[in-house]
PDB file of all heavy atoms in Angstrom:
ATOM      1  N   THR A  23      -5.556  -2.528  27.436  1.00  0.00           N
ATOM      2  CA  THR A  23      -6.833  -1.894  27.143  1.00  0.00           C
ATOM      3  C   THR A  23      -6.780  -0.427  27.331  1.00  0.00           C
ATOM      4  O   THR A  23      -7.290   0.372  26.450  1.00  0.00           O
ATOM      5  CB  THR A  23      -7.920  -2.520  28.034  1.00  0.00           C
ATOM      6  OG1 THR A  23      -7.983  -3.946  27.840  1.00  0.00           O
ATOM      7  CG2 THR A  23      -9.334  -1.965  27.724  1.00  0.00           C
ATOM      8  N   ALA A  26      -4.798   1.203  24.497  1.00  0.00           N
ATOM      9  CA  ALA A  26      -5.584   1.252  23.270  1.00  0.00           C
ATOM     10  C   ALA A  26      -6.554   2.344  23.274  1.00  0.00           C
ATOM     11  O   ALA A  26      -6.721   3.084  22.288  1.00  0.00           O
ATOM     12  CB  ALA A  26      -6.225  -0.087  23.027  1.00  0.00           C
ATOM     13  N   PHE A  27      -7.331   2.507  24.399  1.00  0.00           N
ATOM     14  CA  PHE A  27      -8.299   3.572  24.499  1.00  0.00           C
ATOM     15  C   PHE A  27      -7.642   4.945  24.485  1.00  0.00           C
ATOM     16  O   PHE A  27      -8.179   5.931  23.981  1.00  0.00           O
ATOM     17  CB  PHE A  27      -9.224   3.367  25.677  1.00  0.00           C
ATOM     18  CG  PHE A  27     -10.272   2.347  25.426  1.00  0.00           C
ATOM     19  CD1 PHE A  27     -10.518   1.399  26.420  1.00  0.00           C
ATOM     20  CD2 PHE A  27     -10.981   2.254  24.306  1.00  0.00           C
ATOM     21  CE1 PHE A  27     -11.487   0.393  26.251  1.00  0.00           C
ATOM     22  CE2 PHE A  27     -11.937   1.322  24.096  1.00  0.00           C
ATOM     23  CZ  PHE A  27     -12.144   0.382  25.121  1.00  0.00           C
ATOM     24  N   ALA A  72      -9.548   4.640  15.120  1.00  0.00           N
ATOM     25  CA  ALA A  72     -10.644   3.591  15.000  1.00  0.00           C
ATOM     26  C   ALA A  72     -10.165   2.247  15.243  1.00  0.00           C
ATOM     27  O   ALA A  72     -10.835   1.408  15.929  1.00  0.00           O
ATOM     28  CB  ALA A  72     -11.338   3.724  13.722  1.00  0.00           C
ATOM     29  N   SER A  73      -8.988   1.886  14.745  1.00  0.00           N
ATOM     30  CA  SER A  73      -8.374   0.581  14.977  1.00  0.00           C
ATOM     31  C   SER A  73      -8.046   0.389  16.444  1.00  0.00           C
ATOM     32  O   SER A  73      -8.260  -0.691  17.019  1.00  0.00           O
ATOM     33  CB  SER A  73      -7.182   0.385  14.090  1.00  0.00           C
ATOM     34  OG  SER A  73      -7.489   0.432  12.734  1.00  0.00           O
ATOM     35  N   ALA A  74      -7.514   1.414  17.058  1.00  0.00           N
ATOM     36  CA  ALA A  74      -7.161   1.353  18.473  1.00  0.00           C
ATOM     37  C   ALA A  74      -8.407   1.193  19.355  1.00  0.00           C
ATOM     38  O   ALA A  74      -8.364   0.456  20.343  1.00  0.00           O
ATOM     39  CB  ALA A  74      -6.327   2.597  18.921  1.00  0.00           C
ATOM     40  N   ALA A  75      -9.433   1.907  18.949  1.00  0.00           N
ATOM     41  CA  ALA A  75     -10.694   1.725  19.728  1.00  0.00           C
ATOM     42  C   ALA A  75     -11.294   0.314  19.602  1.00  0.00           C
ATOM     43  O   ALA A  75     -11.776  -0.252  20.607  1.00  0.00           O
ATOM     44  CB  ALA A  75     -11.774   2.765  19.226  1.00  0.00           C
ATOM     45  N   GLY A  76     -11.228  -0.260  18.417  1.00  0.00           N
ATOM     46  CA  GLY A  76     -11.667  -1.658  18.243  1.00  0.00           C
ATOM     47  C   GLY A  76     -10.784  -2.606  19.057  1.00  0.00           C
ATOM     48  O   GLY A  76     -11.312  -3.554  19.700  1.00  0.00           O
ATOM     49  N   ALA A  77      -9.500  -2.382  19.029  1.00  0.00           N
ATOM     50  CA  ALA A  77      -8.600  -3.241  19.788  1.00  0.00           C
ATOM     51  C   ALA A  77      -8.884  -3.093  21.262  1.00  0.00           C
ATOM     52  O   ALA A  77      -8.912  -4.070  22.060  1.00  0.00           O
ATOM     53  CB  ALA A  77      -7.177  -2.893  19.507  1.00  0.00           C
ATOM     54  N   GLY A  78      -9.244  -1.833  21.719  1.00  0.00           N
ATOM     55  CA  GLY A  78      -9.557  -1.599  23.124  1.00  0.00           C
ATOM     56  C   GLY A  78     -10.783  -2.330  23.549  1.00  0.00           C
ATOM     57  O   GLY A  78     -10.849  -2.905  24.641  1.00  0.00           O
ATOM     58  N   VAL A  79     -11.814  -2.387  22.688  1.00  0.00           N
ATOM     59  CA  VAL A  79     -13.045  -3.152  23.016  1.00  0.00           C
ATOM     60  C   VAL A  79     -12.764  -4.601  23.136  1.00  0.00           C
ATOM     61  O   VAL A  79     -13.236  -5.307  24.055  1.00  0.00           O
ATOM     62  CB  VAL A  79     -14.114  -2.798  21.951  1.00  0.00           C
ATOM     63  CG1 VAL A  79     -15.278  -3.762  22.078  1.00  0.00           C
ATOM     64  CG2 VAL A  79     -14.577  -1.405  22.058  1.00  0.00           C
ATOM     65  N   LEU A  80     -11.990  -5.170  22.177  1.00  0.00           N
ATOM     66  CA  LEU A  80     -11.647  -6.610  22.239  1.00  0.00           C
ATOM     67  C   LEU A  80     -10.814  -6.894  23.478  1.00  0.00           C
ATOM     68  O   LEU A  80     -11.020  -7.942  24.130  1.00  0.00           O
ATOM     69  CB  LEU A  80     -10.895  -6.995  20.974  1.00  0.00           C
ATOM     70  CG  LEU A  80     -11.694  -6.977  19.705  1.00  0.00           C
ATOM     71  CD1 LEU A  80     -10.821  -7.306  18.521  1.00  0.00           C
ATOM     72  CD2 LEU A  80     -12.923  -7.892  19.781  1.00  0.00           C
ATOM     73  N   LEU A  81      -9.857  -6.003  23.784  1.00  0.00           N
ATOM     74  CA  LEU A  81      -9.048  -6.237  24.978  1.00  0.00           C
ATOM     75  C   LEU A  81      -9.906  -6.109  26.308  1.00  0.00           C
ATOM     76  O   LEU A  81      -9.622  -6.796  27.298  1.00  0.00           O
ATOM     77  CB  LEU A  81      -7.856  -5.258  25.008  1.00  0.00           C
ATOM     78  CG  LEU A  81      -6.765  -5.590  24.038  1.00  0.00           C
ATOM     79  CD1 LEU A  81      -5.781  -4.389  23.948  1.00  0.00           C
ATOM     80  CD2 LEU A  81      -6.035  -6.814  24.465  1.00  0.00           C
ATOM     81  N   PHE A  82     -10.900  -5.202  26.251  1.00  0.00           N
ATOM     82  CA  PHE A  82     -11.767  -5.072  27.443  1.00  0.00           C
ATOM     83  C   PHE A  82     -12.518  -6.422  27.663  1.00  0.00           C
ATOM     84  O   PHE A  82     -12.608  -6.864  28.799  1.00  0.00           O
ATOM     85  CB  PHE A  82     -12.769  -3.973  27.077  1.00  0.00           C
ATOM     86  CG  PHE A  82     -13.899  -3.794  28.121  1.00  0.00           C
ATOM     87  CD1 PHE A  82     -13.597  -3.197  29.338  1.00  0.00           C
ATOM     88  CD2 PHE A  82     -15.213  -4.219  27.855  1.00  0.00           C
ATOM     89  CE1 PHE A  82     -14.563  -3.059  30.322  1.00  0.00           C
ATOM     90  CE2 PHE A  82     -16.246  -4.025  28.801  1.00  0.00           C
ATOM     91  CZ  PHE A  82     -15.880  -3.456  29.978  1.00  0.00           C
ATOM     92  N   GLY A  83     -13.066  -6.996  26.601  1.00  0.00           N
ATOM     93  CA  GLY A  83     -13.711  -8.276  26.760  1.00  0.00           C
ATOM     94  C   GLY A  83     -12.787  -9.407  27.232  1.00  0.00           C
ATOM     95  O   GLY A  83     -13.129 -10.187  28.083  1.00  0.00           O
ATOM     96  N   ALA A  84     -11.569  -9.416  26.708  1.00  0.00           N
ATOM     97  CA  ALA A  84     -10.623 -10.434  27.109  1.00  0.00           C
ATOM     98  C   ALA A  84     -10.206 -10.187  28.612  1.00  0.00           C
ATOM     99  O   ALA A  84      -9.991 -11.162  29.312  1.00  0.00           O
ATOM    100  CB  ALA A  84      -9.374 -10.341  26.191  1.00  0.00           C
ATOM    101  N   THR A  85     -10.110  -8.968  28.980  1.00  0.00           N
ATOM    102  CA  THR A  85      -9.746  -8.652  30.389  1.00  0.00           C
ATOM    103  C   THR A  85     -10.849  -9.160  31.315  1.00  0.00           C
ATOM    104  O   THR A  85     -10.560  -9.816  32.409  1.00  0.00           O
ATOM    105  CB  THR A  85      -9.510  -7.171  30.621  1.00  0.00           C
ATOM    106  OG1 THR A  85      -8.513  -6.697  29.740  1.00  0.00           O
ATOM    107  CG2 THR A  85      -9.147  -6.849  32.034  1.00  0.00           C
ATOM    108  N   LEU A  86     -12.086  -8.924  30.947  1.00  0.00           N
ATOM    109  CA  LEU A  86     -13.222  -9.386  31.800  1.00  0.00           C
ATOM    110  C   LEU A  86     -13.281 -10.934  31.903  1.00  0.00           C
ATOM    111  O   LEU A  86     -13.435 -11.480  32.957  1.00  0.00           O
ATOM    112  CB  LEU A  86     -14.512  -8.836  31.353  1.00  0.00           C
ATOM    113  CG  LEU A  86     -14.747  -7.327  31.475  1.00  0.00           C
ATOM    114  CD1 LEU A  86     -16.163  -6.956  30.877  1.00  0.00           C
ATOM    115  CD2 LEU A  86     -14.717  -6.968  32.943  1.00  0.00           C
ATOM    116  N   THR A 137     -22.057   3.752  19.543  1.00  0.00           N
ATOM    117  CA  THR A 137     -21.265   2.629  19.028  1.00  0.00           C
ATOM    118  C   THR A 137     -20.268   2.111  20.090  1.00  0.00           C
ATOM    119  O   THR A 137     -20.131   0.891  20.253  1.00  0.00           O
ATOM    120  CB  THR A 137     -20.523   3.037  17.760  1.00  0.00           C
ATOM    121  OG1 THR A 137     -21.479   3.531  16.787  1.00  0.00           O
ATOM    122  CG2 THR A 137     -19.736   1.897  17.154  1.00  0.00           C
ATOM    123  N   ALA A 138     -19.699   3.033  20.790  1.00  0.00           N
ATOM    124  CA  ALA A 138     -18.695   2.661  21.799  1.00  0.00           C
ATOM    125  C   ALA A 138     -19.411   1.893  22.974  1.00  0.00           C
ATOM    126  O   ALA A 138     -18.919   0.797  23.388  1.00  0.00           O
ATOM    127  CB  ALA A 138     -18.021   3.902  22.391  1.00  0.00           C
ATOM    128  N   LEU A 139     -20.555   2.408  23.408  1.00  0.00           N
ATOM    129  CA  LEU A 139     -21.253   1.636  24.507  1.00  0.00           C
ATOM    130  C   LEU A 139     -21.807   0.347  24.074  1.00  0.00           C
ATOM    131  O   LEU A 139     -21.729  -0.684  24.816  1.00  0.00           O
ATOM    132  CB  LEU A 139     -22.329   2.561  25.053  1.00  0.00           C
ATOM    133  CG  LEU A 139     -21.997   3.846  25.810  1.00  0.00           C
ATOM    134  CD1 LEU A 139     -23.148   4.679  26.125  1.00  0.00           C
ATOM    135  CD2 LEU A 139     -21.154   3.451  26.998  1.00  0.00           C
ATOM    136  N   ALA A 140     -22.323   0.254  22.884  1.00  0.00           N
ATOM    137  CA  ALA A 140     -22.800  -1.017  22.388  1.00  0.00           C
ATOM    138  C   ALA A 140     -21.660  -2.053  22.245  1.00  0.00           C
ATOM    139  O   ALA A 140     -21.824  -3.257  22.520  1.00  0.00           O
ATOM    140  CB  ALA A 140     -23.571  -0.823  21.048  1.00  0.00           C
ATOM    141  N   GLY A 141     -20.566  -1.570  21.737  1.00  0.00           N
ATOM    142  CA  GLY A 141     -19.360  -2.411  21.608  1.00  0.00           C
ATOM    143  C   GLY A 141     -18.896  -2.942  22.940  1.00  0.00           C
ATOM    144  O   GLY A 141     -18.508  -4.154  23.066  1.00  0.00           O
ATOM    145  N   LEU A 142     -18.859  -2.096  23.951  1.00  0.00           N
ATOM    146  CA  LEU A 142     -18.369  -2.537  25.259  1.00  0.00           C
ATOM    147  C   LEU A 142     -19.396  -3.506  25.894  1.00  0.00           C
ATOM    148  O   LEU A 142     -19.050  -4.446  26.500  1.00  0.00           O
ATOM    149  CB  LEU A 142     -18.233  -1.325  26.176  1.00  0.00           C
ATOM    150  CG  LEU A 142     -17.014  -0.449  25.883  1.00  0.00           C
ATOM    151  CD1 LEU A 142     -17.020   0.783  26.724  1.00  0.00           C
ATOM    152  CD2 LEU A 142     -15.722  -1.255  25.988  1.00  0.00           C
ATOM    153  N   ALA A 143     -20.654  -3.213  25.636  1.00  0.00           N
ATOM    154  CA  ALA A 143     -21.708  -4.150  26.146  1.00  0.00           C
ATOM    155  C   ALA A 143     -21.582  -5.548  25.446  1.00  0.00           C
ATOM    156  O   ALA A 143     -21.649  -6.569  26.114  1.00  0.00           O
ATOM    157  CB  ALA A 143     -23.135  -3.591  25.949  1.00  0.00           C
ATOM    158  N   ALA A 144     -21.371  -5.551  24.205  1.00  0.00           N
ATOM    159  CA  ALA A 144     -21.206  -6.770  23.482  1.00  0.00           C
ATOM    160  C   ALA A 144     -19.974  -7.535  23.892  1.00  0.00           C
ATOM    161  O   ALA A 144     -19.936  -8.730  23.995  1.00  0.00           O
ATOM    162  CB  ALA A 144     -21.231  -6.505  21.957  1.00  0.00           C
ATOM    163  N   ALA A 145     -18.859  -6.771  24.147  1.00  0.00           N
ATOM    164  CA  ALA A 145     -17.601  -7.401  24.559  1.00  0.00           C
ATOM    165  C   ALA A 145     -17.712  -8.012  25.987  1.00  0.00           C
ATOM    166  O   ALA A 145     -16.933  -8.935  26.288  1.00  0.00           O
ATOM    167  CB  ALA A 145     -16.477  -6.353  24.505  1.00  0.00           C
ATOM    168  N   SER A 146     -18.579  -7.479  26.770  1.00  0.00           N
ATOM    169  CA  SER A 146     -18.769  -7.996  28.130  1.00  0.00           C
ATOM    170  C   SER A 146     -19.618  -9.211  28.249  1.00  0.00           C
ATOM    171  O   SER A 146     -19.686  -9.898  29.285  1.00  0.00           O
ATOM    172  CB  SER A 146     -19.170  -6.903  29.094  1.00  0.00           C
ATOM    173  OG  SER A 146     -20.489  -6.509  28.761  1.00  0.00           O
TER     174      SER A 146
END
Side-chain angles (χ1 to χ4, degrees):
T23 302
F27 284 134
S73 298
V79 168
L80 293 175
L81 286 168
F82 174 75
T85 302
L86 288 178
T137 304
L139 290 175
L142 290 174
S146 66

